[in-house]
Amino acid sequence: MVTENEFLAEYKLSDYERPSVTADVAAFMIRSGEKTSYRKDPEHKLSLLLIRRGGHPYKGMWALPGGFMQSDETVEECALREIMEETSVRPVSIMPVGIFSQPGRDPRGWIISSAYVSIISEESVKQVACDDASDAQWFNVSFEEEEDGIFRLSLSYEDIVLNAVLAEKSASFGRTMFDIVDSGSLAFDHAAIIAAALMALRSAAKSFETVFDFLPDKFTLSALQKVQETIMNVSMLPANFRRMVSKYVEETGEYLRGDGHRPAMLFRRRKTPVK
Amino acid sequence: MVTENEFLAEYKLSDYERPSVTADVAAFMIRSGEKTSYRKDPEHKLSLLLIRRGGHPYKGMWALPGGFMQSDETVEECALREIMEETSVRPVSIMPVGIFSQPGRDPRGWIISSAYVSIISEESVKQVACDDASDAQWFNVSFEEEEDGIFRLSLSYEDIVLNAVLAEKSASFGRTMFDIVDSGSLAFDHAAIIAAALMALRSAAKSFETVFDFLPDKFTLSALQKVQETIMNVSMLPANFRRMVSKYVEETGEYLRGDGHRPAMLFRRRKTPVK
DNA sequence: CAAATAGTGTCTCTAAGACAATATCAC
DNA sequence: GTGATATTGTCTTAGAGACACTATTTG
C-alpha cells in the first residue's frame, strides 16, 4: 500500500511528453484620428498591437505579442505580463478567446497558445513614447464578412497592409472560430486568433461590459457611443444610445467644453447598474 | 545569416520548462426521474459525470473525467476522446470553460487544465450499460447562490453527497470564475471547474443554443422546456416558452401519444432560425 | 449666423410576461 | 368524467428604433 506522499515522491512528470504553452494577446485600442475641422469630431479607429518578429521563425513578419508561460504564474498573469512588457500599460481587463492547439501550428514543435483579448484606453497609451522605428506598432483594423462565412481581416500601419482571409469554422456558444484561407503574411495562426478575438470582443460589447475599458474614468456619452460603434461596426441614433446606457452610467456634473458646440456632460461608470 | 530552416534544425524546445496539459470535461445530462402517476410527467434532474480516482493523488475521491493531451491532437479532440472513453458516447458539442493554471493546483507538479462543458442526451446514455459498481457515476447537481457571491454546489449519487462552497471571483465578460472555500471532497480544483462550467452552461442556454443537445432529434416542446428550466433553474409559462422557441424549431407532423393526456407534436431543431 | 454636437420627448413596433380558454387523450 | 398536458389567443408592459425638436457653443 502506497501513501499519497510516497506516490508523489516517486512521481516523475518527465515520463510524459509535454507541450510548451504561450499566452498570446490581441490588445485593442480605439484611436481618434486627425481633426478635419475645428468643430467636427474626429474619426475613431479600432487598432491592434502587432510586433515585428526579430528572429526565426516567421522572421520579419508581424505577430501578436505573447510569450512562454512560466511555472510560477497563471496563464492570465502571463498574458498581462506580456502586454505590460510591450506597452508599459496594465490593461484594465483581459478576456479569454480560446486555446489554439492545432498540431503543426508552430514550426518549432509542440506549442499551444492560450489567446486573450485585452482592451487599452487611448489615454494610457499616449503617455508611453511611441517609437516609429519600434518593432511594436498599432495597426488599424477592419474586419468584415465578404460573403457567407468568409471574412476579410485588414490590418494597416502607414504603408504596410496585411490582408488575411478567414473561413468561419464553428459558431457554437457564441465563440466563433476560423480557418485561415490566406494568412496575409501574419505569423503562425495569428490571423485566426485575431479574428476570433474580434468576434469575442463584439460579442462582449453587446452587453456594455467591455466598452468602458477603452475610456478614461470620466467620459462623454458620445465618446462612449463612438467606442461602441467602432467595436460593433454599426451606427446608432444618439438619443437611443443614451437611453440604453443610462443604466450603466452616472452624471459627474462636470462638463467638457471648447469644441465649437454645446458642452457635453462627463459621465462615469456606475458600479452597480440600477433603474 | 541563418535561414529559417537552419534555425529550426538547431532549435531545441527542451531548453524550456514545460507544463503538462490536461483536458477536463464537465459532462452534463438531464435525467428524468420516476413516474409518480401514470399521467404525470416525471421530475427532471441535471446530472454530472464524475469518476472515482483509483490512484494517487486524491485516491478514492471524485473528480471530473479528463486526461493528458497528446501531441497529435487538439485540446478539444482530447476532451472528446476522454468523454468517449468514459461513456462510449460522442457528445453533440463541447464548449470551452477556461484554463485553470493556478500554481500548485496539482500536487504532482506543473499541470494546467483546459476545461470544457459537454452535453449528452439521456437517450444516448441509456444505450450504454450502467454498472453500479463502476468508478464512473452520474451525480445529481444543485448549484445555488446562498448569499451574495457565495455559492453552494451539491452533488449526490445514492448515499454519497459532496458539498462544495465557492466564492465568486470575477464575472468579467459573462464568464464567472470561482475561488474554492470548501472543496467538498472533490479532487484537485474541480469544484471550481464545475461551478464555472455550470455558469457557462446557463449563460449559453440563455440564447437557446445549448438546449437541443440534451435531446434526441425529435422532441416535444414540453421536453425542451423541461431541459431549459432544469439548466437555468427557473420556471416559465408554457405558452410563452413556445413563442420564444418557435424561431428555432419546426414541426415534424408526428405525435407522441400514450401519456394519459393530449398527444404532443414532435418538433425538430430548425437549421436556420427564421421568422 | 452657421455648423456642429448635446440633450429631451414621443410615436411605433416588437417581444416577453401573465393569464384565460379550448383541445385531447388514458384511465 | 377526471386529471393531466397540449395548444392558441389576447391583454399588458418594457425596451429598442426612428425621428422631431430644442439647447448651447465657437469661429
Side-chain angles (χ1 to χ4, degrees):
Chain A
M1 189 69 181
V2 185
T3 69
E4 179 155 337
N5 282 338
E6 286 165 3
F7 166 84
L8 289 172
E10 287 301 310
Y11 189 83
K12 296 278 181 297
L13 268 179
S14 52
D15 296 347
Y16 304 95
E17 199 187 358
R18 283 162 293 155
S20 296
V21 177
T22 65
D24 293 311
V25 185
F28 290 98
M29 174 180 73
I30 289 181
R31 268 191 300 190
S32 40
E34 302 287 306
K35 277 241 178 194
T36 57
S37 137
Y38 77 94
R39 63 174 129 209
K40 187 139 169 60
D41 276 1
E43 287 284 302
H44 284 69
K45 285 183 174 166
L46 185 66
S47 60
L48 170 71
L49 183 67
L50 292 180
I51 312 279
R52 209 173 130 92
R53 289 188 57 79
H56 291 301
Y58 297 104
K59 188 170 178 175
M61 295 170 77
W62 294 89
L64 292 173
F68 288 97
M69 179 190 183
Q70 298 165 5
S71 60
D72 59 350
E73 63 184 0
T74 66
V75 204
E76 287 79 9
E77 286 162 1
C78 176
L80 285 169
R81 181 170 53 76
E82 293 296 332
I83 278 298
M84 291 174 69
E85 282 174 11
E86 294 298 340
T87 65
S88 312
V89 172
R90 185 181 178 85
V92 181
S93 59
I94 66 169
M95 168 168 92
V97 173
I99 297 197
F100 294 78
S101 58
Q102 197 70 42
R105 61 176 290 280
D106 191 314
R108 290 169 293 184
W110 189 17
I111 302 179
I112 68 176
S113 165
S114 179
Y116 293 85
V117 184
S118 96
I119 292 176
I120 296 177
S121 85
E122 189 176 21
E123 305 290 313
S124 55
V125 172
K126 271 182 177 161
Q127 293 156 16
V128 179
C130 184
D131 182 358
D132 260 20
S134 162
D135 288 332
Q137 295 296 347
W138 291 95
F139 281 66
N140 286 333
V141 177
S142 127
F143 183 60
E144 300 206 38
E145 187 159 13
E146 292 212 314
E147 47 189 297
D148 209 45
I150 304 292
F151 290 74
R152 173 173 299 270
L153 170 69
S154 285
L155 302 166
S156 62
Y157 159 67
E158 294 186 352
D159 56 344
I160 304 170
V161 179
L162 310 173
N163 264 299
V165 180
L166 300 129
E168 195 174 332
K169 193 200 299 182
S170 63
S172 54
F173 308 107
R175 288 284 151 97
T176 317
M177 292 291 156
F178 296 89
D179 285 320
I180 295 176
V181 177
D182 175 352
S183 74
S185 296
L186 281 154
F188 306 102
D189 54 358
H190 286 190
I193 297 182
I194 295 166
L198 276 161
M199 294 302 275
L201 189 59
R202 287 185 185 170
S203 151
K206 274 182 201 150
S207 52
F208 296 105
E209 289 162 350
T210 319
V211 201
F212 299 99
D213 296 341
F214 280 101
L215 291 168
D217 288 346
K218 295 174 186 172
F219 47 83
T220 66
L221 291 190
S222 37
L224 186 64
Q225 183 177 352
K226 282 273 165 56
V227 170
Q228 178 81 14
E229 290 180 339
T230 307
I231 297 177
M232 302 293 286
N233 203 28
V234 294
S235 75
M236 310 173 67
L237 295 177
N240 297 336
F241 180 79
R242 295 182 152 257
R243 223 184 15 211
M244 284 162 56
V245 293
S246 61
K247 285 198 209 41
Y248 306 97
V249 299
E250 58 189 12
E251 303 182 349
T252 64
E254 296 172 57
Y255 285 86
L256 185 67
R257 47 182 61 242
D259 277 321
H261 50 74
R262 176 170 171 180
M265 185 179 282
L266 290 167
F267 287 74
R268 75 167 70 86
R269 182 177 194 170
R270 185 175 285 175
K271 322 101 207 118
T272 51
V274 280
K275 242 193 281 181
Chain B
M1 187 71 181
V2 185
T3 69
E4 178 154 338
N5 282 339
E6 287 165 2
F7 166 84
L8 290 172
E10 287 301 311
Y11 188 84
K12 295 279 180 299
L13 267 178
S14 51
D15 295 347
Y16 305 96
E17 199 188 358
R18 283 161 293 154
S20 296
V21 177
T22 65
D24 293 311
V25 186
F28 290 98
M29 175 179 73
I30 288 180
R31 268 192 300 193
S32 40
E34 302 287 305
K35 277 241 178 197
T36 56
S37 139
Y38 76 95
R39 60 175 133 208
K40 187 135 169 60
D41 276 1
E43 286 285 302
H44 284 70
K45 286 183 174 164
L46 185 65
S47 60
L48 170 70
L49 184 67
L50 292 180
I51 312 279
R52 209 172 128 92
R53 288 188 57 79
H56 291 299
Y58 297 105
K59 188 170 178 175
M61 294 170 78
W62 295 89
L64 291 173
F68 288 97
M69 178 190 183
Q70 297 165 5
S71 60
D72 59 350
E73 63 184 0
T74 64
V75 204
E76 287 80 10
E77 285 162 1
C78 175
L80 284 170
R81 180 168 54 77
E82 293 295 333
I83 279 297
M84 291 173 69
E85 282 174 12
E86 294 297 341
T87 64
S88 312
V89 172
R90 185 181 178 84
V92 182
S93 58
I94 65 169
M95 167 167 93
V97 173
I99 297 196
F100 294 77
S101 58
Q102 196 69 43
R105 61 176 290 279
D106 191 314
R108 290 169 294 185
W110 190 16
I111 302 180
I112 68 175
S113 165
S114 179
Y116 294 85
V117 184
S118 97
I119 291 176
I120 295 177
S121 85
E122 188 176 22
E123 306 289 315
S124 55
V125 173
K126 272 181 177 160
Q127 293 155 15
V128 180
C130 183
D131 181 359
D132 260 20
S134 162
D135 289 331
Q137 294 297 346
W138 291 95
F139 282 66
N140 286 333
V141 178
S142 127
F143 183 61
E144 301 206 37
E145 188 160 13
E146 293 211 313
E147 46 188 298
D148 208 46
I150 304 292
F151 290 75
R152 173 172 300 271
L153 170 68
S154 285
L155 303 166
S156 62
Y157 159 68
E158 296 187 352
D159 57 343
I160 304 169
V161 179
L162 310 174
N163 264 299
V165 179
L166 300 129
E168 195 174 333
K169 192 200 297 182
S170 63
S172 54
F173 308 106
R175 287 284 151 96
T176 317
M177 292 291 156
F178 296 89
D179 285 321
I180 295 176
V181 177
D182 175 351
S183 75
S185 297
L186 280 154
F188 306 103
D189 53 358
H190 287 190
I193 297 182
I194 294 166
L198 276 161
M199 293 302 274
L201 189 60
R202 287 185 186 170
S203 153
K206 275 184 201 148
S207 53
F208 296 105
E209 288 162 351
T210 320
V211 201
F212 299 99
D213 297 340
F214 281 101
L215 291 167
D217 288 345
K218 296 173 186 171
F219 48 82
T220 65
L221 291 190
S222 36
L224 186 64
Q225 183 178 352
K226 282 274 165 55
V227 170
Q228 178 80 15
E229 291 180 337
T230 307
I231 297 177
M232 302 294 285
N233 203 28
V234 294
S235 75
M236 309 173 67
L237 295 176
N240 297 336
F241 179 80
R242 294 182 151 257
R243 222 182 17 210
M244 284 163 56
V245 294
S246 60
K247 284 198 209 41
Y248 306 97
V249 298
E250 59 189 12
E251 302 181 350
T252 64
E254 297 172 57
Y255 285 85
L256 185 68
R257 47 182 64 241
D259 277 321
H261 50 73
R262 176 170 170 179
M265 186 179 283
L266 290 167
F267 288 75
R268 74 167 71 87
R269 181 178 194 169
R270 184 174 286 172
K271 324 100 206 116
T272 50
V274 280
K275 239 192 281 180

